[in-house]
Amino acid sequence: MDCLFCKIIREEIPAKTIYEDEKVIAFNDINPQAPFHALVIPRQHISTLNDISEQDREVVGHMVMVAARLAEEQGFASDGYRAVFNCNNHGGQTVFHIHLHVLGGKAMGWPPYQAKLKSL
Ligand code: 5GP
Ligand code: ZN
């Protein structure tokens, strides 16, 4: 399948893998937005959050568990972190294989794009 993250799973494109098991892999984002920025992805191809179905309940739950475990391992679980799924155009999704961003190691603002909204 011509999907960037499927290629990473098949090791056709290199990535800095930091966790893997039979359901998911996690690797460092190529363009980190925080001192720690990893992506947790399912081994099975699912394009967007809109495409998850009942049978994906376990793998999507597992992605969240892995994100929390990575935060604990990295030592920023209690300080806090951000775990995000972007979906489609308005969500800012650019790679159409679902991925959970895990960002930590600095304080992050909320809501996103606040400055832009204020100027409207
Ligand atoms: P999205 O914008 O779809 O939510 O997030 C896609 C993420 O994938 C971006 O943060 C981007 O930096 C990351 N990314 C895109 N291409 C690659 C790649 O080839 N390798 C890695 N490790 N990350 C990538
Ligand atoms: Zn894929």
Side-chain angles (χ1 to χ4, degrees):
M1 183 178 280
D2 191 27
C3 161
L4 181 65
F5 287 173
C6 283
K7 286 179 181 166
I8 286 178
I9 289 162
R10 294 196 300 261
E11 297 183 0
E12 292 166 15
I13 292 176
K16 292 226 165 73
T17 303
I18 54 171
Y19 175 84
E20 61 182 315
D21 62 28
E22 71 286 352
K23 294 193 193 75
V24 304
I25 72 166
F27 52 88
N28 289 330
D29 196 290
I30 206 167
N31 183 21
Q33 300 301 314
F36 178 86
H37 184 176
L39 303 171
V40 184
I41 71 171
R43 286 188 183 276
Q44 71 192 89
H45 180 87
I46 303 170
S47 298
T48 79
L49 271 194
N50 295 337
D51 301 301
I52 61 172
S53 60
E54 196 57 40
Q55 72 209 33
D56 304 318
R57 190 181 277 272
E58 196 180 326
V59 73
V60 175
H62 187 57
M63 290 168 71
V64 178
M65 293 292 298
V66 168
R69 203 180 305 159
L70 289 175
E72 186 67 43
E73 264 176 31
Q74 294 291 326
F76 52 70
S78 75
D79 278 345
Y81 57 98
R82 179 78 45 83
V84 185
F85 283 102
N86 294 328
C87 182
N88 277 343
N89 189 26
H90 283 189
Q93 186 174 7
T94 59
V95 178
F96 289 85
H97 178 131
I98 61 166
H99 45 280
L100 181 54
H101 293 262
V102 185
L103 301 114
K106 70 169 187 182
M108 281 161 279
W110 189 264
Y113 311 122
Q114 188 174 25
K116 194 175 170 190
L117 283 172
K118 275 181 180 165
S119 71
L120 287 175

